[in-house]
Amino acid sequence: MKESSYSDTSNYLGRVRHRKHPSEVSPDADKANRSNLLVNDRNKYKSMLIRAYSSVWMIGGFSFIIYMGHLYIWALIVVVQIFMARELFSLLRRSNEERQLPGFRLLNWHFFFTAMLFTYGRFLTRQLVNTVTSDKLLCQLVSGLIKYQMFICYFLYIAGFVWFILTLKKKMYRYQFSQFAWTHMILLMVFIQSAFTVANIFEGIFWFLLPASLIIINDIAAYFFGFFFGRTPLIKLSPKKTWEGFIGASVTTLLSAFVLANIMGHFQWLTCPRKDLSTGWLHCDPGPLFKPEYFSLPALMHQWFPWKEVAILPVQCHALAFGLFASIIAPFGGFFASGFKRAFKLKDFGDSIPGHGGITDRMDCQMVMAVFAYIYHQSFVMPPSFSVETFLDQIIRNLTIEEQQLLYEQLGNFFQARQWLQA
């Protein structure tokens, strides 16, 4: 009995002696953990290199299209719209039900191109008319299309609406109506911001390029500041976003806005508005916003700086407003997209761009920024709306060729009578 008790005690003590403390890790396990950390670290840097490589190619291609001019930038916007729509259309699509609805995907694209015709027809009327004024027959055709453009677009939309009703199938009503509503939400998201973007382009590439560049700079700065210094999470919707990245990107964006506005403001190719759809070089009076104003530096600063005065473009003050919005408000477009992807259990909207995801992933903040840039330009930069171009646009849009000729003759008689009275 005693021997049995002694052996049990010794076995227990042996187990206690060989039991490992929770904080102790065997050499093999420690080595495995270190190798895992190294692999993860390599993957982290590999992801950064892929992202950087894609960014270089995108920025290079973007710069080339900017050099080509307004019409090519517009074409780029259209291509971006198509890719965004394709990615968003596929989110709620279920392949097994699509097979039972032949032509349903085609209906989505019918609504898409109808919205494109309506949007750009409204925004680019003046440029289109100025392009074809040299050809009388073509001018009459374009004037007729402009006059009835809204009716044509409405008829195309009603045709799509009737098409949708005729394709309704029993036991699939819920899916079809959800797709119908989803299509209209996509059209709002894609075309509202892109229409404002195109309007900014033809007011001067500057008003498109500066806001877009600030979003790109903010995104890159936030990534690198967060990559190297990020410790404090910023928002639960996007766990990789950090306060360090947000603050570092904000400072970088504000400084970049002030400097870039000065650089871009010296190029007429960027500051002159385009009043037609041609691709030739532009020459214009840049206006007071792009003419330097000189400010004398305080005497105390002369010992640190070799200049006694500095030249600042008035547009640089507006650029600071753009920088502030791009660094503080526009990122919420990205947070919205992150929440949206979480709702659908997605990592990215697509895989069009290595290291970045889909086109929509790159355009989430740009959509918010484009609308702000247009509204800001119209509110604080645009001259009063009563201009020769505005009246000419209304005349071309609403009067027939015969009525325009009659107006021309009456204006001629009016000026002849005024000259006779002054004589």
Side-chain angles (χ1 to χ4, degrees):
M1 185 74 178
K2 288 182 180 179
E3 291 179 359
S4 174
S5 172
Y6 177 79
S7 63
D8 291 343
T9 304
S10 63
N11 290 337
Y12 173 77
L13 292 174
R15 285 197 300 270
V16 170
R17 213 170 26 245
H18 289 91
R19 184 179 298 164
K20 294 181 180 178
H21 192 272
S23 62
E24 294 179 1
V25 181
S26 68
D28 294 338
D30 182 59
K31 187 176 180 181
N33 288 337
R34 287 183 181 179
S35 64
N36 286 336
L37 288 173
L38 183 62
V39 169
N40 292 335
D41 197 51
R42 285 175 179 170
N43 288 336
K44 182 179 179 181
Y45 279 93
K46 182 180 179 181
S47 174
M48 184 188 73
L49 289 175
I50 293 173
R51 189 183 179 99
Y53 185 74
S54 299
S55 298
V56 169
W57 275 101
M58 284 193 296
I59 292 172
F62 183 67
S63 301
F64 176 74
I65 291 173
I66 293 295
Y67 171 78
M68 294 299 292
H70 303 69
L71 201 60
Y72 294 91
I73 302 173
W74 178 27
L76 172 66
I77 298 300
V78 171
V79 172
V80 168
Q81 284 179 321
I82 293 172
F83 273 91
M84 286 180 64
R86 185 173 67 90
E87 292 171 358
L88 294 171
F89 281 149
S90 63
L91 282 183
L92 286 183
R93 187 171 292 139
R94 294 199 289 268
S95 57
N96 59 326
E97 295 184 342
E98 287 289 332
R99 285 194 291 269
Q100 302 178 45
L101 297 169
F104 196 79
R105 188 177 301 184
L106 184 62
L107 179 61
N108 288 340
W109 289 107
H110 170 83
F111 283 120
F112 176 85
F113 286 107
T114 300
M116 181 180 290
L117 179 62
F118 175 79
T119 302
Y120 293 137
R122 303 295 294 176
F123 270 91
L124 299 178
T125 299
R126 187 180 66 188
Q127 287 80 5
L128 184 60
V129 170
N130 291 340
T131 305
V132 301
T133 49
S134 58
D135 190 316
K136 183 178 179 181
L137 180 62
L138 188 59
C139 185
Q140 289 179 342
L141 178 62
V142 169
S143 298
L145 288 174
I146 290 172
K147 184 175 181 180
Y148 300 108
Q149 180 250 356
M150 187 177 292
F151 176 79
I152 293 170
C153 292
Y154 178 73
F155 178 79
L156 289 173
Y157 178 82
I158 289 299
F161 178 74
V162 172
W163 181 0
F164 168 75
I165 297 299
L166 293 176
T167 58
L168 288 174
K169 286 192 174 183
K170 193 175 181 180
K171 296 183 180 179
M172 300 188 69
Y173 295 151
R174 183 187 294 273
Y175 173 73
Q176 288 181 279
F177 276 102
S178 68
Q179 285 289 324
F180 186 77
W182 180 241
T183 299
H184 284 69
M185 195 186 90
I186 290 171
L187 297 182
L188 286 174
M189 288 179 61
V190 171
F191 279 103
I192 286 179
Q193 63 87 18
S194 57
F196 291 139
T197 302
V198 172
N200 292 337
I201 292 168
F202 284 92
E203 290 294 340
I205 296 177
F206 178 93
W207 302 106
F208 159 75
L209 181 59
L210 179 64
S213 299
L214 294 180
I215 292 296
I216 294 170
I217 290 169
N218 185 264
D219 187 54
I220 293 173
Y223 179 78
F224 279 103
F225 274 99
F227 186 88
F228 291 106
F229 308 108
R231 296 291 183 273
T232 313
L234 176 63
I235 189 169
K236 291 182 180 179
L237 281 174
S238 190
K240 293 184 179 180
K241 298 289 193 303
T242 62
W243 274 106
E244 291 81 2
F246 182 79
I247 295 171
S250 298
V251 175
T252 304
T253 304
L254 282 170
L255 294 174
S256 300
F258 193 77
V259 175
L260 282 178
N262 188 285
I263 296 172
M264 295 179 186
H266 286 88
F267 294 94
Q268 289 192 13
W269 179 244
L270 300 178
T271 58
C272 291
R274 172 71 73 182
K275 297 181 181 180
D276 55 24
L277 298 180
S278 63
T279 57
W281 289 100
L282 289 171
H283 301 282
C284 68
D285 179 10
L289 281 178
F290 299 100
K291 292 179 180 177
E293 296 180 359
Y294 294 90
F295 299 89
S296 298
L297 292 175
L300 293 175
M301 299 182 68
H302 291 173
Q303 56 184 331
W304 292 294
F305 297 98
W307 312 284
K308 292 185 179 180
E309 60 180 14
V310 293
I312 296 178
L313 302 181
V315 77
Q316 289 179 262
C317 299
H318 295 290
L320 289 176
F322 284 169
L324 200 61
F325 188 91
S327 57
I328 296 177
I329 305 299
F332 281 86
F335 301 151
F336 175 85
S338 297
F340 197 85
K341 287 183 285 189
R342 281 178 172 272
F344 288 95
K345 296 182 173 61
L346 296 171
K347 183 178 182 295
D348 296 308
F349 284 104
D351 55 0
S352 307
I353 310 171
H356 291 266
I359 296 291
T360 311
D361 294 287
R362 293 296 90 218
M363 296 301 296
D364 45 15
C365 299
Q366 293 284 4
M367 290 191 293
V368 179
M369 189 70 196
V371 178
F372 171 76
Y374 176 81
I375 294 173
Y376 185 93
H377 180 268
Q378 294 294 316
S379 302
F380 301 105
V381 179
M382 193 75 175
S385 58
F386 297 103
S387 63
V388 175
E389 288 80 7
T390 304
F391 286 114
L392 185 61
D393 181 41
Q394 293 296 321
I395 290 168
I396 293 171
R397 181 188 292 273
N398 297 304
L399 299 182
T400 64
I401 294 295
E402 292 76 14
E403 291 171 335
Q404 293 173 26
Q405 290 175 344
L406 179 61
L407 177 63
Y408 174 78
E409 292 171 0
Q410 290 180 349
L411 283 173
N413 294 334
F414 171 77
F415 285 116
Q416 284 181 355
R418 172 174 287 186
Q419 289 176 355
W420 181 78
L421 289 173
Q422 290 177 350

